[in-house]
């Protein structure tokens, strides 16, 4: 049993390290190097080495140091957000006046993560609706194509603008977009096949590439099932902490104090690894069926905390912003644990069920959020509100029932 392999570290050492270096345990893999660097900046005997920079430092040989690596540009990729991209395009000649620019900025505030516009009285107060719509119409010329539309239909029409189609084909596409629910009734149109081919290539939602880029994360734990189930820590994310006291008397009070602090930092990193490794083992033990292709089972923070002899708050901090790489994809560790719904039901189980419902729904009559809510109540016996289902659906990149109906009609 995996449980027999879990050796507990002394609680005294854990508590001392947590008090001194809690940030090390809490930060995600992508933030680890920066966190360690911040904790060691004032320690003259510590050098942080990574795959990008391998150097050795001595306090007396290098009194001052550069805070920016000369090669940093090689590893820095600027990925602007959807809103950065939109804001950079609000300028003449498309938005020639200060008024049109101000309205455009307010419109951007009303655009959700998927790129769709939703009217907000509070944000747009003080502007005439006609003026707002005139400015919003110009978003058809912005990137990403289709952004700022109110619906799937309008999003498609926005995207047609940049295709520069001939008049007849443009008109046919618009007719079909306006009648997605009954699109097959227009097969008699001369350019029907060409128009359908174009419509199928249009994207939904308009900001889909930005949704995708936000999912790029670095896992802390790796699960391999090629030859049984193996748990490992992603060592590549851990910087090497080098304590350099060459030629220095470590008995000096100044030196001894900083060396002690440096060793605590090394201990904190090792504790982080050990804690996450133990959590990985426990997840595999509790979720064995999931790694073999089954569903995620209910799992409470308290259960794993009791098994490891730690508090639930410590485990909660340890899994925050952490990800696990599995044969079924990279997912947040917290997805395995129940939160807010019920001690026996996990969010991941609910989301998985929603995904399955939509996957197997009647395409002629897609399930509404209210219908999904009722099915969840029947299966899990939990009380939820419709807006929670809507939130889950959006997090899974599942369109609304009316939008899915239109998409099914096209497909």
């Amino acid at each position: 049993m995996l449980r027999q392999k879990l050796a507990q570290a002394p609680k005294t050492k854990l508590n001392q390290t947590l008090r001194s270096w809690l940030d090390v345990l809490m930060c995600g893999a992508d933030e680890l190097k920066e966190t360690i660097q911040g904790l060691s900046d004032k320690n003259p005997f510590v050098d942080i080495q990574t795959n990008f920079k391998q150097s050795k430092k001595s306090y007396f040989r290098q009194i001052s140091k550069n805070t920016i690596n000369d090669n940093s540009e090689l590893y820095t990729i600027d990925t602007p957000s959807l809103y950065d991209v939109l804001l950079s395009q609000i300028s003449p000649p498309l938005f020639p006046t200060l008024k049109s620019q101000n309205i455009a900025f307010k419109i951007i505030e009303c655009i959700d993560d998927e790129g769709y516009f939703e009217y907000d009285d509070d944000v747009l107060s003080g502007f005439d609706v006609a003026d707002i719509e005139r400015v919003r119409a110009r978003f058809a010329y912005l990137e990403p194509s289709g952004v700022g539309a109110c619906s799937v239909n309008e999003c498609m029409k926005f995207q047609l603008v940049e295709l520069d189609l001939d008049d007849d084909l443009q008109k046919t596409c618009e007719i079909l977009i306006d009648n997605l629910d009954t699109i097959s009734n227009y097969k008699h149109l001369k350019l029907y096949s060409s128009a359908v081919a174009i419509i199928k290539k249009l994207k939904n939602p308009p900001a889909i590439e930005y949704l995708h880029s936000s999912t790029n994360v670095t896992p802390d734990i790796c699960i391999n099932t090629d030859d049984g189930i193996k748990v490992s820590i992603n060592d590549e994310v851990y910087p090497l902490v080098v304590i350099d006291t060459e030629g220095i008397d470590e008995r000096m009070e100044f030196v001894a104090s900083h060396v002690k602090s440096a060793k605590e930092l090394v201990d904190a990193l090792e504790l982080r690894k050990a804690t996450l490794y133990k959590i990985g083992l426990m997840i595999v033990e509790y979720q064995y069926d999931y790694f073999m292709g089954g569903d995620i089972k209910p799992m409470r923070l308290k259960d794993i905390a009791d098994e490891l002899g730690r508090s639930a708050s410590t485990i909660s901090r340890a899994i925050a912003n952490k990800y696990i790489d599995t044969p079924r994809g990279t997912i947040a560790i917290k997805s395995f644990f129940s939160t807010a719904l019920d001690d026996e039901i996990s969010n991941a189980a609910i989301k998985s069920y929603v995904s399955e419902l939509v996957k197997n729904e009647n395409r002629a009559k897609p399930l509404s959020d209210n219908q999904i809510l009722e099915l969840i109540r029947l299966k899990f016996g939990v009380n939820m509100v419709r807006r929670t289902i809507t939130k889950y659906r959006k997090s899974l990149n599942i369109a609304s029932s009316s939008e899915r109906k239109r998409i099914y009609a096209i497909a």
Side-chain angles (χ1 to χ4, degrees):
M1 292 288 291
L2 289 170
R3 188 176 302 169
Q4 296 173 343
K5 298 181 181 180
L6 303 180
Q8 293 184 11
K11 283 190 176 181
T12 302
K13 185 174 183 179
L14 172 71
N15 293 335
Q16 177 183 351
T17 305
L18 280 177
R19 284 196 299 270
S20 302
W21 305 109
L22 188 58
D23 287 344
V24 175
L25 186 63
M26 291 177 65
C27 68
D30 295 322
E31 306 165 338
L32 186 57
K33 177 190 171 185
E34 183 179 350
T35 300
I36 296 300
Q37 191 70 59
L39 291 171
S40 64
D41 270 348
K42 295 181 180 179
N43 193 324
F45 306 109
V46 172
D47 184 26
I48 307 300
Q49 297 181 1
T50 68
N51 291 334
F52 301 144
K53 181 182 178 182
Q54 298 291 335
S55 61
K56 193 171 183 180
K57 173 187 70 174
S58 169
Y59 175 59
F60 294 100
R61 289 195 301 266
Q62 186 178 338
I63 299 299
S64 61
K65 68 175 182 177
N66 295 326
T67 57
I68 301 178
N69 182 359
D70 293 336
N71 297 323
S72 62
E73 289 184 1
L74 297 175
Y75 310 104
T76 302
I77 301 175
D78 184 18
T79 358
S81 69
L82 168 65
Y83 302 100
D84 291 332
V85 170
L86 292 176
L87 290 171
S88 68
Q89 298 177 76
I90 309 304
S91 60
L94 199 56
F95 304 95
T97 66
L98 183 59
K99 180 180 179 180
S100 65
Q101 291 171 21
N102 287 335
I103 293 176
F105 291 140
K106 293 296 181 181
I107 289 173
I108 290 175
E109 289 185 42
C110 299
I111 291 177
D112 63 23
D113 292 342
E114 295 183 338
Y116 284 107
F117 171 82
E118 185 173 349
Y119 199 97
D120 189 315
D121 290 326
D122 293 332
V123 174
L124 296 167
S125 62
F127 294 106
D128 184 76
V129 174
D131 289 336
I132 294 171
E133 286 304 300
R134 275 194 293 270
V135 173
R136 192 174 67 84
R138 302 173 199 173
F139 275 61
Y141 299 92
L142 300 185
E143 291 293 337
S145 182
V147 73
C150 290
S151 63
V152 172
N153 305 65
E154 188 177 43
C155 174
M156 290 180 173
K157 288 185 177 180
F158 275 18
Q159 293 177 64
L160 291 180
V161 171
E162 69 174 17
L163 297 181
D164 194 26
L165 305 175
D166 64 62
D167 292 343
D168 290 340
L169 185 54
Q170 174 86 16
K171 184 177 180 181
T172 304
C173 287
E174 290 177 353
I175 292 172
L176 298 185
I177 289 172
D178 286 334
N179 297 277
L180 292 176
D181 292 338
T182 56
I183 193 171
S184 60
N185 294 341
Y186 294 85
K187 290 183 177 180
H188 63 279
L189 295 178
K190 181 180 179 181
L191 298 174
Y192 175 84
S193 297
S194 299
V196 168
I198 290 173
I199 291 173
K200 283 184 177 181
K201 294 179 181 179
L202 302 179
K203 62 185 177 182
N204 175 59
I208 189 170
E209 63 264 37
Y210 294 91
L211 291 172
H212 176 72
S213 64
S214 67
T215 62
N216 294 329
V217 294
T218 303
D220 281 271
I221 304 173
C222 301
I223 305 293
N224 188 294
T225 57
D226 290 341
D227 184 18
I229 299 183
K230 295 181 180 178
V231 179
S232 62
I233 292 297
N234 185 4
D235 286 321
E236 292 183 5
V237 306
Y238 285 83
L240 176 64
V241 179
V242 178
I243 303 174
D244 181 10
T245 57
E246 182 180 351
I248 303 171
D249 185 356
E250 293 190 24
R251 293 171 297 180
M252 296 171 59
E253 183 178 350
F254 170 78
V255 178
S257 173
H258 283 80
V259 168
K260 179 177 181 294
S261 178
K263 288 180 178 179
E264 287 179 355
L265 180 57
V266 173
D267 287 343
L269 279 172
E270 291 304 314
L271 173 63
R272 186 183 194 276
K273 286 185 182 181
T275 303
L276 290 176
Y277 178 70
K278 291 174 183 177
I279 289 173
L281 290 176
M282 295 305 301
I283 288 175
V284 167
E285 181 175 359
Y286 275 87
Q287 306 290 350
Y288 182 85
D289 290 343
Y290 171 78
F291 295 108
M292 293 293 103
D295 295 327
I296 291 179
K297 294 181 178 179
M299 188 175 182
R300 299 185 304 172
L301 277 174
K302 185 178 183 302
D303 293 334
I304 196 169
D306 290 344
E307 290 282 357
L308 297 179
R310 311 302 180 204
S311 69
S313 62
T314 297
I315 301 302
S316 177
R317 288 167 175 163
I319 67 174
N321 304 314
K322 309 293 193 306
Y323 295 83
I324 184 167
D325 182 44
T326 79
R328 300 179 66 175
T330 301
I331 60 176
I333 295 178
K334 66 180 181 182
S335 298
F336 290 101
F337 297 88
S338 60
T339 58
L341 294 175
D342 184 281
D343 280 346
E344 301 300 328
I345 304 297
S346 70
N347 285 331
I350 298 291
K351 288 184 178 180
S352 177
Y353 184 60
V354 170
S355 195
E356 283 300 310
L357 286 175
V358 173
K359 181 180 178 181
N360 298 302
E361 70 184 350
N362 182 344
R363 293 195 165 197
K365 294 181 179 179
L367 295 167
S368 68
D369 288 350
N370 280 325
Q371 290 172 318
I372 293 175
L373 176 62
E374 288 304 315
L375 290 170
I376 287 174
R377 285 174 176 167
L378 287 173
K379 180 174 177 63
F380 296 99
V382 295
N383 291 318
M384 302 174 66
V385 293
R386 185 195 57 77
R387 63 175 176 271
T388 302
I389 302 302
T390 303
K391 177 183 176 183
Y392 286 172
R393 175 174 55 74
K394 288 184 176 181
S395 72
L396 293 167
N397 288 333
I398 296 174
S400 66
S401 57
S402 59
E403 290 173 346
R404 297 201 304 276
K405 186 174 182 179
R406 297 187 187 103
I407 294 169
Y408 292 151
I410 294 174

